């Protein structure tokens, strides 16, 4: 059943990608180069004010780069193993590998000066702090419940338990200072 659902998701994903205004983050920002797990789009933050560890304050309506993981790509890769530790390690290392490219993407973005940071929503937040993300609860009960059920099909296919989703945030300065590489 899970494999069937993943096959259907593989068909639907390109349509979702096109309709959702997402952009892939890739090495050298070329469409045919090595893509990361990150898909991104600009968004205005709508949550409660948040103060990050580096002093950055994220207010309602601040411009953020919303990160989405390429879930179909992840699940296709994780089909090969049932070991939960190996699955978590794969995701961790792929995200870590993609963060320098994300830093490069944001530093070259036409609205780079306006972007305050990056945001993601996930139910898999273990290890996020080691990568530089800060984890914040989603305060709005309705939105948290909506996201929990929106994420549940992926959790079913991945055979992982459903946990309450959280915000992952990182300031643009922290991302660039920690992960940015220059093009030589």
């Amino acid at each position: 059943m899970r494999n069937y659902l993943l096959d259907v998701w593989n068909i639907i994903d390109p349509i979702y990608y096109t309709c959702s205004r997402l952009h892939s983050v890739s090495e050298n920002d070329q469409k045919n180069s090595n893509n990361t797990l990150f898909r991104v789009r600009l968004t205005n933050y709508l949550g409660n004010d948040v103060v990050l560890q580096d002093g950055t304050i994220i207010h309602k309506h601040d411009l953020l780069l919303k990160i989405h993981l390429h879930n179909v790509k992840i699940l296709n890769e994780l089909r090969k193993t049932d070991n939960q530790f190996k699955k978590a390690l794969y995701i961790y290392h792929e995200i870590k590998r993609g963060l320098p490219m994300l830093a490069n993407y944001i530093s070259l973005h036409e609205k780079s000066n306006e972007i305050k940071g990056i945001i993601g929503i996930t139910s898999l937040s273990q290890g996020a702090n080691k990568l530089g993300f800060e984890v914040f609860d989603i305060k709005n009960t309705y939105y948290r419940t909506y996201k929990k059920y929106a994420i549940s099909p992926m959790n079913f296919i991945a055979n992982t338990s459903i946990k309450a989703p959280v915000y992952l945030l990182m300031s643009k300065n922290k991302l660039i200072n920690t992960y940015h590489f220059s093009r030589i």
Side-chain angles (χ1 to χ4, degrees), residues 78 81 83-95 124 126-127 160:
L78 297 182
T81 184
N83 185 308
Q84 295 299 321
F85 179 74
K86 285 183 180 179
K87 288 178 179 183
L89 204 56
Y90 167 79
I91 294 169
Y92 175 85
H93 285 294
E94 285 299 303
I95 290 171
L124 305 171
Q126 266 188 311
T160 58

Side-chain angles (χ1 to χ4, degrees), residues 38-51:
F38 293 118
R39 296 162 140 189
V40 298
R41 70 174 174 83
L42 292 177
T43 190
N44 289 323
Y45 179 67
L46 297 177
N48 296 326
D49 289 359
V50 173
V51 179

Side-chain angles (χ1 to χ4, degrees), residues 16-23 40-43:
Y16 167 75
Y17 177 78
T18 302
C19 295
S20 63
R21 303 173 295 146
L22 292 173
H23 301 278
V40 298
R41 70 174 174 83
L42 292 177
T43 190

